[in-house]
């Protein structure tokens, strides 16, 4: 794929195609997003979550969404997505499919598990998870990303892993990274510098960027300028920038009142206004949330309102500390 197809489907002016659907919230019974007690039934067996995933995928595809994002650690998200693609061959030909490796889901489908996922960026984990992803998604996989790279991750320095990832790229799968934590900018710049045989290894970057946590913005702009596709995750800050928030930040409340848009649409639109963004992900758990998110594609914010929203930024360390305290539910 390179970055060509992803950039093509999400070109400026592509409307809803600039918004992708991430399956973190519906591939497993528990996640850290706010409001899940209202979004999902109290009992969440596998088949209930499979149906919810397929409802969202159907609605997203019908609305024009063309990038779909999963991960090994999202419970059964790859399985749910693979089933949907198999049942809808026409859609399967249209969409770009991304997944991630590096975290292992260990909660055994329990919402009260003490640990939900375990991180490892070693070669053995890559080989094991790559086989599992291949068994489910096969040649439908377009993009494979290292999950939540931080500056100290061995994924940035391990030549053996780099050689295996370059081999995957030679097979036609685009190799990328996702980042997390208060030092995302450092991790992004380190990833941009990684080469194998004189060629850049990582062709896409997926990072957390939102009105509360914009610290990766300059590095993401550099990635875009260097020809990488930029995917933004957690644009509504795990629900802190939505109606599910206990109290909306004042500037966001003011802009929603002035525009008549929902808070999530405003937050997503603010990200889409960044010229370096290729795709921003919706993490919707309901079709109503998805529709509200997709309204961002047509929402225009003037410079005055964008400036107001920029006032919401927190220190990165504060943001990530708050995120780490969100309960799995």
């Amino acid at each position: 794929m390179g970055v060509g197809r992803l950039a093509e489907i999400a070109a400026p002016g592509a409307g809803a195609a600039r918004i992708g659907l991430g399956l973190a919230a519906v591939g497993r019974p528990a996640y850290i997003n706010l409001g899940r007690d209202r979004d999902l039934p109290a009992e969440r067996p596998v088949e209930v979550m499979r149906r919810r995933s397929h409802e969202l995928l159907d609605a997203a595809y019908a609305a024009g969404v063309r990038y779909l994002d999963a991960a090994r650690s999202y419970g059964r998200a790859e399985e749910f997505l693979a089933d949907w693609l198999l049942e809808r061959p026409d859609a399967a030909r249209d969409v770009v499919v991304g997944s991630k490796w590096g975290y292992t889901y260990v909660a055994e489908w329990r919402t009260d598990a003490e640990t939900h996922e375990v991180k490892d960026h070693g070669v053995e984990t890559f080989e094991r998870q790559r086989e599992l992803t291949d068994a489910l998604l096969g040649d439908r996989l377009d993009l494979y990303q290292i999950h939540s790279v931080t500056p100290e991750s061995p994924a940035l320095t391990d030549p053996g892993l780099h050689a295996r990832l370059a081999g995957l790229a030679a097979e036609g799968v685009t190799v990328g990274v996702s980042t997390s934590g208060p030092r995302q900018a450092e991790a992004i710049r380190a990833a941009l510098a990684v080469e194998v045989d004189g060629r850049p290894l990582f062709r896409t970057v997926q990072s957390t960027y939102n009105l509360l946590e914009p610290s990766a913005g300059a590095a993401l702009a550099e990635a875009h300028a260097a020809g990488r596709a930029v995917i933004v995750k957690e644009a509504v800050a795990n629900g802190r920038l939505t109606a599910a928030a206990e109290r909306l930040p004042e500037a966001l409340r003011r802009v929603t009142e002035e525009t008549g848009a929902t808070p999530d649409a405003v937050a997503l639109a603010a990200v889409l206004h960044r010229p370096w963004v290729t795709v921003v992900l919706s993490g919707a758990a309901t079709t109503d949330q998805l529709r509200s998110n997709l309204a961002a594609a047509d929402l225009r914010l003037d410079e005055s309102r964008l400036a107001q929203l920029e006032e919401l930024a927190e220190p990165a360390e504060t943001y990530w500390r708050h995120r780490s305290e969100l309960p799995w539910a």
Side-chain angles (χ1 to χ4, degrees):
M1 180 187 76
V3 298
R5 189 161 171 238
L6 184 59
E8 180 183 340
I9 64 169
R18 293 196 65 211
I19 299 176
L21 178 64
L23 298 176
V26 290
R28 54 196 170 189
Y31 192 45
I32 62 172
N33 286 353
L34 303 180
R36 287 176 67 80
D37 56 334
R38 296 186 297 274
D39 298 337
L40 296 166
E43 298 298 323
R44 302 166 194 169
V46 171
E47 288 310 311
V48 165
M49 299 304 285
R50 187 191 310 272
R51 284 195 297 273
R52 178 63 63 88
S53 297
H54 287 193
E55 288 170 5
L56 284 162
L57 287 162
D58 281 340
Y61 182 77
V65 171
R66 292 297 180 266
Y67 176 65
L68 309 175
D69 187 88
R72 286 303 312 157
S73 64
Y74 295 171
R76 297 200 179 196
E78 286 187 339
E79 175 188 327
F80 297 165
L81 177 55
D83 292 345
W84 184 83
L85 292 167
L86 186 63
E87 293 169 5
R88 294 157 180 80
D90 290 343
R93 286 189 286 271
D94 285 346
V95 297
V96 173
V97 173
S99 194
K100 296 179 284 293
W101 71 273
Y103 272 97
T104 299
Y105 178 68
V106 295
E108 298 181 345
W109 211 257
R110 291 173 49 195
T111 57
D112 61 349
E114 185 174 338
T115 301
H116 291 264
E117 52 191 17
V118 176
K119 184 177 182 178
D120 185 277
H121 286 164
V123 170
E124 289 185 5
T125 296
F126 167 71
E127 297 285 9
R128 174 174 54 82
Q129 294 197 318
R130 173 69 187 117
E131 286 185 9
L132 294 167
T133 297
D134 187 58
L136 289 168
L137 294 172
D139 61 6
R140 294 186 177 92
L141 181 71
D142 297 295
L143 168 62
Y144 210 36
Q145 305 156 94
I146 309 176
H147 204 161
S148 292
V149 169
T150 55
E152 62 276 7
S153 170
L156 294 171
T157 56
D158 185 344
L161 175 62
H162 295 169
R164 286 167 173 79
L165 292 171
L168 183 61
E171 296 171 10
V173 177
T174 295
V175 172
V177 295
S178 77
T179 66
S180 292
R183 297 165 62 200
Q184 286 190 108
E186 188 178 339
I188 292 163
R189 291 181 174 117
L192 293 178
V194 175
E195 295 185 346
V196 174
D197 296 330
R199 297 181 177 181
L201 178 60
F202 302 117
R203 305 299 305 173
T204 67
V205 178
Q206 181 178 140
S207 298
T208 295
Y209 178 88
N210 58 56
L211 294 172
L212 301 176
E213 208 317 48
S215 66
L220 291 171
E222 293 167 22
H224 171 77
R228 280 30 169 221
V230 173
I231 303 167
V232 169
K233 62 186 173 77
E234 299 186 357
V236 296
N238 300 104
R240 292 178 65 192
L241 299 174
T242 72
E246 211 171 278
R247 183 173 180 273
L248 281 178
E250 176 59 26
L252 179 58
R253 184 194 61 76
R254 188 164 59 246
V255 173
T256 61
E257 290 177 354
E258 291 171 354
T259 61
T262 57
D264 55 288
V266 170
L268 286 159
V271 174
L272 286 170
H273 276 67
R274 304 304 177 196
W276 40 263
V277 172
T278 308
V279 172
V280 60
L281 295 178
S282 162
T286 71
T287 53
D288 284 345
Q289 284 179 353
L290 178 64
R291 281 190 289 270
S292 184
N293 288 179
L294 293 177
D298 299 316
L299 180 59
R300 299 292 172 262
L301 300 173
D302 60 27
E303 291 301 321
S304 173
R305 287 178 177 137
L306 289 171
Q308 291 179 57
L309 294 170
E310 287 175 358
E311 297 172 6
L312 301 181
E314 301 175 344
E317 292 79 7
T318 301
Y319 176 87
W320 288 99
R321 183 170 59 253
H322 186 285
R323 186 186 184 281
S324 73
E325 294 168 351
L326 294 174
W328 288 74

